[in-house]
Amino acid sequence: MNDWPEGWSDNNRGSGYGHGGASAQPEGARVMRQVRRGPAAPPQGAGVPPQPSYVDGQGYGGGDYTNARNTGYDSGYSQGEVYGGGGSDGPGGYGTQAARPAPNWRRRIKWTAITVVSVLVVTTVGTYFWADSKLKREVDLSKVIDRPEAGEGTNFLIVGSDSREGMTAEEKKALHTGSADGKRTDSMMILHTGSNGDTLISLPRDSDVEIPSFVGSESGKRYEGTGRHTKLNAAYATDGPELLVRTVEFNTGLRIDHYVEIGFAGFANIVDAVGGVEIDIPQDIKDTKSGADLKKGKQTLNGEESLAFVRTRYALAGSDLDRTKNQQKFLAALANQVATPGTVLNPFKLYPTMGAGLDTLIVDKDMGLYDLGSMFFAMKGVNGGDGKSMNMPISGSSGGNLVWDKAKVKQLVSELKNDEKVTVSGD
């Protein structure tokens, strides 16, 4: 008598697992008959005899096993799960997934760097063309006649005009500019850049100069010189930037390479765009004409206060000569502020600053952004002690005009032409 139900013998078992079968693998995928141990199955309809409990090491868990038997014994045995072959999470399972490969950090860093560089290049190129398109290249130096020979280094003529173009009535009132028609030069400076230090030279507006022969910038007509002497700012009022350049070159013998002009509104807007300019004011200043009401000491000036500061002359003992010194000091401080990393690397400051300046700057037709940048960095160098700032040497006055010291001016121009260290001093 065997122990297999319904008369099964050992031969009916086939080459099953554990009995020397040819295959060493379990029949996980074959559907196996339901196997019952013990006596033969009772007749249909009879109750299922109770099964032994294996709790506490003597069985497989009691109730769950019995319930599975009573409900058709669908515990997964017939699906091969008894061997653990279908799971991927169990220990020793045949379906375990391959380990996830480690990230390729070298590749990631490479593509991140390429992306960053690409963005920087596109941004830089875009900014360059945007800024270049905003430059107002309105001054044609080719119209200037009888020009001196070029020397070493680069000479910029920097002009602050009292232009009120684009200003509303409220802005004119706030900035104390008045409402005069046209425009005049409020300040004039020569900035020389070279290999022996940069030099910033103020040309007082009341300087006594001779108006030479010139060709009208609009009419193209030639006007012969008569030897007439007048204030320097009268040259600009007569025929604009081209005649001003012609007059400076004729009276100094120094060739001007580039022309840069900025009006009242542009000046104030640049200062406000960079968040104000810190400067040490040497004395209390109160001037009803310029609107200045400033206290002595180090402080940060906004656009309105800055414009009042650089325009003040009636409240200063040296009048125009003291004003030019204040203008030099402030412009150098402004250039230093514009060229700081806090402005250059901050797009929320850089673009408003560039926009405020480029909207009102008037330059010569050959002026490029590189030239403009060189000018600002040179002014920053002068403020940092790498160069020299001075007034044009003065020997006296005549009829209310300031007369230049001819000997000192000749020596100064010679040093600038040869890009030598400037040894001449001015008031």
Side-chain angles (χ1 to χ4, degrees):
M1 181 176 181
N2 60 51
D3 295 331
W4 290 91
E6 300 182 5
W8 278 43
S9 67
D10 288 343
N11 292 332
N12 295 121
R13 295 172 61 191
S15 55
Y17 180 75
H19 284 268
S23 174
Q25 298 296 328
E27 296 178 339
R30 175 185 296 178
V31 177
M32 301 179 66
R33 291 176 178 270
Q34 179 174 319
V35 178
R36 296 183 179 89
R37 297 184 182 276
Q44 186 174 0
V48 178
Q51 302 296 313
S53 175
Y54 295 94
V55 179
D56 297 330
Q58 299 181 15
Y60 294 105
D64 290 341
Y65 183 81
T66 303
N67 290 339
R69 291 286 302 272
N70 291 338
T71 57
Y73 193 35
D74 188 15
S75 64
Y77 181 84
S78 63
Q79 300 300 322
E81 292 177 7
V82 66
Y83 300 108
S88 61
D89 297 330
Y94 292 101
T96 303
Q97 296 181 354
R100 186 175 182 178
N104 189 335
W105 290 108
R106 179 177 295 180
R107 183 181 178 86
R108 290 187 179 185
I109 293 173
K110 172 186 174 181
W111 283 106
T112 299
I114 291 175
T115 301
V116 171
V117 171
S118 299
V119 170
L120 288 176
V121 170
V122 171
T123 302
T124 302
V125 173
T127 299
Y128 176 87
F129 284 105
W130 167 77
D132 188 73
S133 67
K134 293 178 74 67
L135 274 180
K136 297 180 179 179
R137 297 181 174 92
E138 300 177 0
V139 179
D140 189 356
L141 295 183
S142 67
K143 295 180 179 180
V144 179
I145 63 173
D146 302 332
R147 309 193 67 186
E149 292 184 2
E152 300 293 329
T154 303
N155 299 310
F156 297 86
L157 181 60
I158 305 171
V159 175
S161 76
D162 63 0
S163 172
R164 299 155 179 84
E165 182 179 354
M167 296 177 64
T168 64
E170 291 76 13
E171 289 173 330
K172 293 176 183 178
K173 183 178 180 180
L175 298 176
H176 300 270
T177 64
S179 300
D181 294 331
K183 59 181 181 179
R184 287 153 292 276
T185 52
D186 207 55
S187 63
M188 292 158 283
M189 303 177 187
I190 294 175
L191 173 65
H192 174 83
T193 63
S195 57
N196 284 293
D198 305 316
T199 305
L200 185 62
I201 308 162
S202 286
L203 309 175
R205 58 180 288 178
D206 294 338
S207 296
D208 186 82
V209 295
E210 179 182 341
I211 301 296
S213 300
F214 68 97
V215 173
S217 59
E218 296 295 334
S219 66
K221 181 180 177 181
R222 182 181 177 92
Y223 297 88
E224 298 296 336
T226 62
R228 178 174 67 96
H229 280 245
T230 184
K231 288 179 170 58
L232 179 59
N233 66 339
Y236 185 97
T238 300
D239 198 53
E242 287 85 357
L243 180 54
L244 177 61
V245 172
R246 167 76 174 127
T247 302
V248 169
E249 291 186 342
F250 177 81
N251 286 269
T252 63
L254 185 69
R255 187 184 181 97
I256 299 300
D257 299 296
H258 292 295
Y259 178 92
V260 181
E261 177 186 326
I262 188 168
F264 282 162
F267 180 84
N269 290 339
I270 291 176
V271 174
D272 286 334
V274 297
V277 175
E278 185 179 74
I279 191 169
D280 191 358
I281 299 178
Q283 65 182 72
D284 291 349
I285 299 177
K286 189 172 181 64
D287 184 6
T288 56
K289 290 187 177 294
S290 68
D293 187 6
L294 306 170
K295 299 298 182 182
K296 178 181 178 180
K298 183 176 291 186
Q299 55 199 283
T300 298
L301 304 183
N302 61 26
E304 178 183 339
E305 295 167 336
S306 300
L307 184 59
F309 176 69
V310 299
R311 294 183 61 218
T312 295
R313 64 170 176 162
Y314 294 104
L316 304 177
S319 188
D320 201 34
L321 290 178
D322 283 349
R323 178 171 72 163
T324 56
K325 293 177 182 178
N326 285 343
Q327 290 171 345
Q328 287 180 345
K329 185 176 182 178
F330 186 86
L331 289 178
L334 174 59
N336 183 71
Q337 179 68 25
V338 170
T340 58
T343 299
V344 175
L345 300 179
N346 183 352
F348 297 102
K349 277 191 175 183
L350 177 62
Y351 288 101
T353 301
M354 292 178 66
L358 296 173
D359 281 340
T360 55
L361 278 181
I362 296 176
V363 300
D364 65 271
K365 293 184 179 296
D366 295 327
M367 187 80 162
L369 289 178
Y370 177 82
D371 301 310
L372 194 61
S374 297
M375 184 191 78
F376 273 102
F377 277 100
M379 294 181 72
K380 177 184 178 182
V382 171
N383 181 65
D386 295 333
K388 181 175 183 176
S389 60
M390 58 182 287
N391 277 326
M392 186 65 80
I394 303 297
S395 63
S397 62
S398 175
N401 297 347
L402 297 173
V403 179
W404 294 351
D405 188 319
K406 292 183 179 180
K408 287 186 175 181
V409 170
K410 183 178 180 179
Q411 181 182 349
L412 172 63
V413 170
S414 176
E415 291 173 342
L416 294 177
K417 276 188 171 183
N418 296 308
D419 197 22
E420 299 172 349
K421 186 176 180 62
V422 172
T423 60
V424 178
S425 61
D427 295 330

